[in-house]
Amino acid sequence: MNIDPRSLGKVAVLLGGTSAEREVSLMSGAGVLQALQSQGVDAHAFDPAERDLHELKEQGFARCFIALHGRHGEDGCVQGTLEMMGIPFTGSGVMASAIAMDKVMTKRVWLAEGLPTPRHVWLAPDQQDAAAIAAMPAQLGLPLIIKPPREGSSIGVTKVTAAADLQAAVAESLRFDPDVLGEEFIQGEEITCPVLGEGASARALPVIRIVPPEAGYDYQNKYFTDDVRYLCPSGLPEAEEREIQRIVLAAYRSLGCRGWGRADLMIRASDRQPFLLEMNTSPGMTGHSLVPMSARAAGISYEQLCLRLLAAARTDSARPQTA
């Protein structure tokens, strides 16, 4: 794929933002900015926490690479603003971004499509009394996972092994979201699988198997240590990897995603059944990030990946370009 960097115009790399994942977004954006500039793109950093998005129109930006993570960056808000201004942007549109950011809504779509995802309990703000919280183990078993449904990067997530710890786990989740998501714990291997493209032409990249330290695959280990092992090639049987890629593509398409995304899954140890956990529509692009790792295994460099995603930027109202 030959892309003329000059044809892409003046580009804003949106980074930072106001979410709990700001620190990670700054790292992602710095990497993307350097990569695009190294390829001759007229790219500039733009932090929505420090500048009004309407400056993008005023200053003649032709398109945006969204390197924001979490709320107000990955949830459809920024996408909607760019849509209104008619500025093409990378990744999924308003609806797909909003749905994928909400793990409860994502599960509803996947369950309707017959896709495997762990059993769950959703507690809205008016349903979080002590009795409802105490009932979770009877519905989901122990251990179980408590998490805020609209956060990422393992923020606010707790593995609960004893009923006595439920209330503290819910309190931690409520620091980040007014709703609470309880989820069945899947004992097994954690994997992730990126997707590039849109619709029928979307393709799943190689699966990555994640081998965390005993402390777990938490925020600190995801981004700031080298204690996690990432296996790509995954070492999974070929038929198993193909089945995971099939499920991930179906999950991606069912949400209406485009451009790129990354699904996180668990493979249950007892029967090797994969379960979808979430879809990231603005995945990390840091030195520890997994989409660049998988892309490299498929023969796509970090710089090529950034350029390819940028070239595919569009608004919801624009027709997708056919190859």
Side-chain angles (χ1 to χ4, degrees):
M1 180 185 290
N2 291 321
I3 300 168
D4 179 5
R6 292 169 299 180
S7 71
L8 302 175
K10 186 179 180 182
V11 174
V13 177
L14 304 187
L15 77 177
T18 58
S19 82
E21 298 178 75
R22 174 178 172 81
E23 190 174 8
V24 179
S25 173
L26 288 170
M27 293 189 293
S28 286
V32 169
L33 181 66
Q34 183 178 15
L36 292 176
Q37 289 175 341
S38 77
Q39 299 301 298
V41 176
D42 181 21
H44 307 262
F46 192 105
D47 187 345
E50 299 174 353
R51 301 167 67 181
D52 193 297
L53 284 171
H54 288 91
E55 290 182 33
L56 292 167
K57 192 77 170 175
E58 296 163 4
Q59 296 182 12
F61 284 100
R63 62 184 65 206
C64 293
F65 192 114
I66 298 177
L68 298 165
H69 307 314
R71 292 173 191 268
H72 302 144
E74 195 172 353
D75 60 359
C77 291
V78 163
Q79 289 79 2
T81 303
L82 296 174
E83 188 75 30
M84 292 287 287
M85 292 192 289
I87 300 176
F89 52 90
T90 56
S92 292
V94 176
M95 183 184 72
S97 298
I99 293 174
M101 188 66 198
D102 189 316
K103 296 177 181 66
V104 175
M105 295 305 296
T106 297
K107 281 178 175 289
R108 288 176 177 173
V109 172
W110 285 343
L111 289 168
E113 293 291 319
L115 294 168
T117 185
R119 292 178 296 132
H120 72 286
V121 172
W122 167 54
L123 297 182
D126 61 349
Q127 299 170 319
Q128 295 164 9
D129 56 83
I133 294 169
M136 281 187 172
Q139 297 165 281
L140 303 173
L142 284 173
L144 59 81
I145 301 294
I146 296 292
K147 60 175 72 170
R150 291 176 288 262
E151 284 293 348
S153 296
S154 299
I155 291 170
V157 177
T158 304
K159 178 184 176 183
V160 177
T161 57
D165 299 328
L166 266 171
Q167 191 60 59
V170 168
E172 173 64 13
S173 176
L174 287 172
R175 291 177 54 213
F176 303 97
D177 197 307
D179 294 355
V180 173
L181 174 60
E183 192 172 65
E184 172 191 11
F185 176 71
I186 304 297
Q187 179 67 48
E189 295 179 278
E190 186 161 358
I191 57 171
T192 194
C193 181
V195 179
L196 297 181
E198 180 174 0
S201 64
R203 90 184 244 227
L205 294 180
V207 172
I208 298 174
R209 191 153 51 99
I210 300 163
V211 185
E214 282 194 24
Y217 192 45
D218 59 9
Y219 179 83
Q220 187 68 22
N221 281 325
K222 277 186 178 182
Y223 301 108
F224 302 105
T225 77
D226 294 311
D227 297 338
V228 181
R229 291 170 57 218
Y230 301 103
L231 305 181
C232 188
S234 66
L236 298 172
E238 185 179 346
E240 192 165 280
E241 173 139 352
R242 280 202 307 268
E243 175 62 7
I244 289 163
Q245 290 175 318
R246 184 194 69 79
I247 290 171
V248 166
L249 273 174
Y252 180 88
R253 290 169 178 152
S254 72
L255 297 173
C257 297
R258 69 165 186 257
W260 65 327
R262 196 196 77 233
D264 296 335
L265 307 90
M266 295 294 298
I267 301 176
R268 189 163 58 194
S270 61
D271 59 2
R272 305 304 295 172
Q273 166 71 48
F275 288 88
L276 292 156
L277 299 180
E278 63 178 295
M279 181 67 70
N280 302 279
T281 55
S282 181
M285 290 289 278
T286 74
H288 283 71
S289 292
L290 305 179
V291 175
M293 182 186 302
S294 178
R296 278 195 304 274
I300 306 169
S301 71
Y302 185 97
E303 291 78 13
Q304 290 169 332
L305 176 64
C306 292
L307 202 57
R308 180 170 167 172
L309 293 170
L310 182 63
R314 70 175 180 89
T315 58
D316 279 338
S317 54
R319 287 179 176 271
Q321 292 188 358
T322 55

